[in-house]
């Protein structure tokens, strides 16, 4: 079965009893099957450990979550950011160049596809549009007061929030506390790890093998570019400014890459979740939901339809992928869409949505330019004062 606009519209209608789409992919390192892969680590350098049932075992097996659900959503949003201008997705951009000392690792222009909490994010609340607080503008009011049952503002300005969910939790006790659960869920899991305790040992080498003993260095302010030698015990270690041999081991050693029996990515698009989104009329409901669904399909193909890199030590490719339509009358295999086919389905749904009166006519416009308010600029200046080498 081929995925196309009519199929998505039918599956997302008010009357549909279809459940959704699942994507199950077997992954492996570019190095080869069972080669070590670096899972994500969290506070204290810990892996996210779990146990899962699999069909071929009579008891749960150990797993490590290589990339969890929120992280996968961020990767899909990053893919949409890259596609936005070419396919016509709406975008807001927070221009941070008003801060005169922004360090080079901070992007001078932050896309709304990078707002951690989407329409409910602090960057949106701290933004201004044409000199006015965003919340006081028509766009801001549409974003901050949007609900799943009155979703026009989000469809017009931030449709990916309808796909990945949001919680409007910082507008005060009397403000809207609207929530929408994510409709697209994805994660990458490594099954039956060879170990869960591996450490990456090493040595930071120094061709000069410099040594001065403990506590003999004084640096200039916050910079390590200027330093001087003191008497022993009156300063910092030489290793703190990057000199000397520095062994990495013991409790300081980071968690290492792990070999797994299998690595799988599972993504799910929930039509039940999409049916929480309402535009008013049944035809518009089905079209809006199908359009949001097509954004998820496009993001997945763009992000994971070829080899991809999660982090150092986690460059992966798909060796097998199965897309399944979870229909009311039974499950059916879907043909895996190419990036061209996913883009065409999305474009078809945009055209149909506009004809049906949905607020998508401005999607091909230039990004909405936002500026940080005075408070955000002040914190930026405090966090990142002027730095000179």
């Amino acid at each position: 079965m081929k995925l196309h606009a009519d199929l998505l519209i039918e599956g997302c209608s008010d009357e549909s009893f279809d459940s959704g789409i699942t994507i199950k992919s077997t992954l492996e390192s570019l190095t080869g099957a069972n080669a070590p892969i670096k899972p994500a680590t969290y506070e204290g350098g810990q892996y996210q450990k779990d146990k899962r049932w699999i069909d071929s075992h009579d008891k749960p097996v150990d797993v490590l979550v290589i990339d969890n659900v929120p992280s996968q959503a961020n990767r899909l949003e990053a893919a949409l950011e890259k596609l936005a201008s070419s396919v016509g997705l709406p975008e807001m951009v927070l221009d941070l160049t008003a801060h005169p000392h922004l360090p080079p690792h901070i992007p001078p222009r932050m896309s709304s596809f990078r707002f951690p909490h989407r329409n409910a994010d602090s960057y949106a609340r701290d933004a201004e549009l044409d000199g006015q607080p965003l919340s006081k503008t028509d766009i801001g009011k549409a974003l901050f007061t949007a609900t799943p049952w009155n979703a026009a503002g989000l469809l017009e300005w931030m449709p990916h929030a309808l796909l990945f969910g949001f919680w409007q939790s910082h507008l005060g006790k009397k403000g809207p506390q609207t929530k929408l659960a994510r409709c697209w869920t994805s994660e990458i899991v490594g099954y039956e790890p060879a170990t869960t305790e591996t450490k990456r040992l090493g040595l930071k080498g120094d061709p000069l093998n410099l040594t001065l003993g403990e506590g003999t260095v004084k640096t200039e302010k916050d910079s390590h570019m200027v330093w001087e030698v003191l008497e022993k015990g009156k300063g910092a270690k030489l290793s703190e400014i990057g000199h000397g041999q520095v062994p990495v081991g013991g409790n300081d050693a980071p968690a290492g890459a792990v070999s797994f029996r299998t690595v799988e990515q599972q993504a799910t698009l929930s039509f039940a979740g999409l049916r929480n989104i309402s535009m008013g009329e049944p035809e518009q409901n089905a079209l809006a939901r199908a359009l949001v669904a097509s954004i998820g399909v496009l993001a997945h193909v763009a992000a994971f339809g070829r080899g991809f890199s999660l982090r150092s030590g986690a460059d992966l490719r798909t060796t097998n992928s199965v897309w399944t339509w979870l229909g009311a009358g039974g499950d059916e295999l879907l043909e895996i869409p190419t990036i061209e086919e996913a883009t065409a389905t999305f474009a078809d749904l945009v055209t149909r949505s506009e004809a049906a009166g949905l607020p998508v006519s401005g999607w091909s416009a230039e990004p909405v330019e936002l500026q940080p308010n005075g408070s955000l600029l002040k914190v930026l200046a405090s966090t990142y004062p002027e730095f000179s080498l």
Side-chain angles (χ1 to χ4, degrees):
M1 185 165 65
K2 197 175 186 66
L3 189 64
H4 53 80
D6 288 322
L7 185 63
L8 286 174
I9 292 169
E10 182 181 347
C12 292
S13 71
D14 291 339
E15 297 79 19
S16 173
F17 277 76
D18 294 334
S19 297
I21 297 172
T22 63
I23 305 169
K24 294 184 179 181
S25 303
T26 302
L27 309 177
E28 67 176 30
S29 166
L30 300 190
T31 308
N34 307 122
I37 296 169
K38 184 67 169 66
T41 55
Y42 301 92
E43 186 175 3
Q46 299 297 307
Y47 299 127
Q48 184 175 336
K49 301 177 182 180
D50 201 355
K51 286 184 177 291
R52 305 280 175 95
W53 287 102
I54 57 176
D55 292 340
S56 59
H57 288 65
D58 58 2
K59 61 181 180 179
V61 301
D62 291 326
V63 306
L64 297 180
V65 178
I66 294 173
D67 215 45
N68 67 14
V69 171
S71 179
Q72 287 274 283
N74 292 156
R75 298 183 195 284
L76 293 166
E77 289 169 304
L80 291 174
E81 180 188 4
K82 292 180 180 179
L83 290 170
S85 61
S86 63
V87 302
L89 280 166
E91 184 179 18
M92 296 181 177
V93 174
L94 182 62
D95 186 355
L96 301 174
T97 56
H99 174 48
H101 312 305
L102 202 66
H105 69 279
I106 300 295
R109 290 167 58 80
M110 181 183 295
S111 168
S112 53
F113 290 105
R114 301 282 184 168
F115 288 5
H117 298 97
R118 303 169 193 100
N119 57 304
D121 198 76
S122 56
Y123 292 125
R125 296 193 303 275
D126 294 338
E128 294 182 349
L129 176 61
D130 297 329
Q132 295 294 319
L134 180 61
S135 60
K136 303 297 183 182
T137 67
D138 290 342
I139 294 176
K141 291 175 183 177
L143 282 175
F144 294 128
T145 62
T147 64
W149 52 91
N150 182 21
L154 285 175
L155 186 68
E156 183 173 10
W157 300 109
M158 206 174 289
H160 61 284
L162 296 172
L163 185 68
F164 300 117
F166 66 91
W167 179 15
Q168 196 65 266
S169 61
H170 288 281
L171 296 182
K173 293 182 179 179
K174 296 184 179 181
Q177 299 286 319
T178 309
K179 294 181 182 180
L180 177 65
R182 67 180 78 244
C183 300
W184 188 286
T185 303
S186 178
E187 68 174 351
I188 297 176
V189 173
Y191 289 84
E192 298 185 85
T195 178
T196 59
E197 305 299 333
T198 184
K199 294 286 187 177
R200 181 164 59 83
L201 306 179
L203 176 71
K204 180 269 171 187
D206 181 355
L208 300 180
N209 197 20
L210 299 178
T211 178
L212 278 174
E214 298 294 315
T216 55
V217 174
K218 177 183 178 182
T219 61
E220 180 71 20
K221 297 182 180 179
D222 293 329
S223 173
H224 290 172
M225 298 293 289
V226 179
W227 56 279
E228 59 180 301
V229 178
L230 305 175
E231 293 181 20
K232 183 176 180 180
K234 293 189 177 181
K237 297 179 182 179
L238 195 63
S239 61
E240 292 182 22
I241 60 170
H243 281 298
Q245 307 276 18
V246 183
V248 179
N251 293 332
D252 294 330
V258 177
S259 175
F260 299 94
R261 182 178 295 276
T262 57
V263 176
E264 294 184 357
Q265 179 187 47
Q266 180 161 331
T268 303
L269 173 63
S270 170
F271 293 163
L274 287 172
R275 282 191 283 269
N276 288 321
I277 300 169
S278 176
M279 303 297 298
E281 299 297 325
E283 179 190 4
Q284 291 184 326
N285 289 344
L287 274 167
R289 296 164 189 162
L291 180 55
V292 171
S294 74
I295 293 173
V297 171
L298 180 59
H300 181 90
V301 174
F304 305 118
R306 53 184 172 178
F308 56 92
S309 179
L310 299 176
R311 63 190 65 86
S312 177
D315 296 299
L316 305 174
R317 68 187 182 107
T318 301
T319 58
N320 183 61
S321 189
V322 177
W323 290 48
T324 306
W325 181 273
L326 308 178
D331 299 346
E332 294 187 61
L333 294 182
L334 287 168
E335 294 180 24
I336 300 173
T338 65
I339 187 67
E340 292 79 13
E341 291 169 337
T343 302
T345 299
F346 166 76
D348 187 4
L349 284 163
V350 172
T351 300
R352 297 190 194 196
S353 296
E354 185 173 4
L358 290 173
V360 298
S361 58
W363 275 22
S364 59
E366 292 295 313
V368 175
E369 295 283 336
L370 304 176
Q371 298 78 39
N373 65 18
S375 296
L376 182 54
L377 278 175
K378 187 175 181 179
V379 175
L380 271 172
S382 175
T383 304
Y384 299 112
E386 186 173 8
F387 175 80
S388 59
L389 297 177

